[in-house]
Amino acid sequence: MKRSIAVIFVLTSAWSWGQKNLVRNGGFEGSSDNWRGEGVIINAFDRHDGNSAGMINQFTGGEWKGIDQIITVPKDCYAFDFGVWMKADNIEGGKDPWNAGVMTVELLTAGEKSIRYEGVAEVLGSTGWVYYHKSVVLPAEAKKIRIILALAQTNGSLLFDNVSAVGYSVTEFEKMKEEERKAAKLAAQSFRNGSFEMAMEGWRGAATLVSDPVKEGAAAVSITSSQPVWTGIDQPAFIPEGSKKVKVSGWLRAQSLVRGKESWNNGVFIIELTKDGTTKAIDDQMIGSVVGDSDWTYFEKELDLPAGAEQFRLLLALSNATGTLYADDIRVTFSK
């Protein structure tokens, strides 16, 4: 059966086919060697690590602009994990969801006939460096893979570094997935890093750490979008056994934040309560909402936990709005 599995965190240890990244020059160390296409810039000033990163700029026209590389699938390779560090600067988007800064992989036959595409990353607006990766089980006919980095019919600047494609045998893949499940359960046990003093640890999604403005400590988080699409971060966790109430609080600030079509299309702070991570135990609850230009504003809400609720997720986002949302000192407390 064909399957694709999205992975949302980086494992500290992993099994891999041959322990080898099959992408050649995935770090763009001083050149664009091994990549096809035109327009890539080697940026030695803004990179995730090493000496340089790749960069594609496009300021007008909204055309497809990208590079690619074809790799060969090793014998007995069952699945691949594809990864990339990306940073966006004013990527505009477009009429289609894929009009973004993207990393996409195309599965190919031995004769390079297309089988299907798999999206690894899609970025909009402006972000800091964010890691994306995705595991994909290969169909039997997949013998080659094309790695694609591009501005997909949109304008802006896309930076990329540490592009990887690592293969797994069946046994290695199952071990890796089991390790992921264990790591996910451990990581999701409790809410953490609401003050963003540990960078983005615990949080998923695209955002930028800032040192100004902040409400508490040395850091806050900034979420920015130039397009009215959902843009944000979230953190899932488990509800402590025996809890009856939850109190959620935090500070929000808005800068040039323009509401979308609906009244709730603002900068938002939401808690989602579920029975199993998917089935909602109650409608999502709004903790706070900001629009326009505002100073730091404190929001707090206490809720009775609905029957059967075992997990929760906090969301900070631009809900189909444009502009910038800042957040800091996010807290969650439970009581019996």
Side-chain angles (χ1 to χ4, degrees):
M1 179 176 66
K2 298 180 181 178
R3 296 178 292 152
S4 64
I5 302 171
V7 182
I8 56 176
F9 52 85
V10 184
L11 293 175
T12 56
S13 64
W15 293 270
S16 62
W17 186 92
Q19 298 290 325
K20 183 179 180 181
N21 176 17
L22 297 182
V23 175
R24 301 176 300 279
N25 188 27
F28 296 89
E29 292 297 288
S31 76
S32 60
D33 290 352
N34 302 115
W35 293 92
R36 309 184 303 182
E38 298 180 354
V40 64
I41 298 169
I42 302 305
N43 191 322
F45 302 100
D46 194 350
R47 70 274 190 193
H48 177 255
D49 60 21
N51 297 315
S52 55
M55 182 176 184
I56 297 174
N57 292 326
Q58 183 161 248
F59 303 112
T60 60
E63 301 296 329
W64 177 278
K65 189 174 184 180
I67 57 174
D68 69 357
Q69 178 179 147
I70 292 179
I71 63 174
T72 300
V73 176
K75 184 180 179 181
D76 299 325
C77 183
Y78 173 73
F80 263 91
D81 185 76
F82 302 100
V84 64
W85 283 89
M86 278 189 172
K87 181 177 180 179
D89 186 15
N90 293 318
I91 296 180
E92 296 176 356
K95 64 179 182 178
D96 294 309
W98 48 267
N99 296 147
V102 301
M103 175 173 165
T104 302
V105 297
E106 183 183 15
L107 308 184
L108 305 169
T109 66
E112 300 187 6
K113 180 180 178 181
S114 181
I115 300 170
R116 70 172 189 261
Y117 291 87
E118 294 280 353
V120 178
E122 293 181 357
V123 293
L124 291 170
S126 297
T127 73
W129 284 101
V130 179
Y131 183 70
Y132 303 87
H133 72 143
K134 183 175 184 178
S135 294
V136 177
V137 173
L138 302 177
E141 63 269 30
K143 303 301 180 183
K144 294 183 180 181
I145 296 170
R146 185 162 70 107
I147 314 292
I148 304 165
L149 298 161
L151 288 171
Q153 295 182 354
T154 188
N155 299 318
S157 297
L158 176 68
L159 290 95
F160 33 84
D161 206 352
N162 304 113
V163 185
S164 62
V166 179
Y168 300 88
S169 68
V170 175
T171 301
E172 291 166 340
F173 184 75
E174 293 304 324
K175 288 181 178 179
M176 184 270 286
K177 298 312 295 180
E178 179 60 27
E179 190 72 9
E180 283 181 359
R181 286 189 285 269
K182 292 178 181 178
K185 186 174 181 180
L186 179 64
Q189 291 300 313
S190 59
F191 176 77
R192 63 195 186 279
N193 191 29
S195 62
F196 302 98
E197 300 301 305
M198 295 184 290
M200 295 301 296
E201 181 177 333
W203 294 92
R204 311 180 300 188
T208 302
L209 287 174
V210 296
S211 58
D212 182 39
V214 298
K215 179 58 185 177
E216 302 287 348
V221 72
S222 168
I223 300 166
T224 299
S225 179
S226 60
Q227 295 294 312
V229 295
W230 180 278
T231 306
I233 59 175
D234 72 312
Q235 182 175 160
F238 281 82
I239 297 170
E241 189 174 348
S243 298
K244 301 297 183 183
K245 294 179 179 291
V246 59
K247 182 167 72 174
V248 187
S249 64
W251 293 83
L252 303 181
R253 178 170 176 165
Q255 179 178 317
S256 302
L257 206 161
V258 179
R259 176 176 291 149
K261 293 181 180 180
E262 307 294 343
S263 60
W264 58 85
N265 293 152
N266 303 320
V268 297
F269 177 21
I270 294 170
I271 185 170
E272 174 191 71
L273 296 164
T274 65
K275 297 179 180 181
D276 54 9
T278 303
T279 307
K280 292 183 185 293
I282 191 175
D283 290 341
D284 293 351
Q285 300 293 302
M286 183 76 70
I287 309 302
S289 176
V290 292
V291 71
D293 291 285
S294 71
D295 201 352
W296 286 106
T297 306
Y298 179 73
F299 295 94
E300 178 183 298
K301 191 168 187 176
E302 187 171 34
L303 301 166
D304 292 326
L305 290 170
E310 294 186 356
Q311 300 182 41
F312 72 97
R313 186 165 65 110
L314 293 187
L315 301 95
L316 295 162
L318 293 172
S319 173
N320 295 344
T322 60
T324 301
L325 170 69
Y326 297 99
D328 200 2
D329 199 25
I330 306 300
R331 301 190 182 196
V332 183
T333 57
F334 293 90
S335 59
K336 295 184 178 181

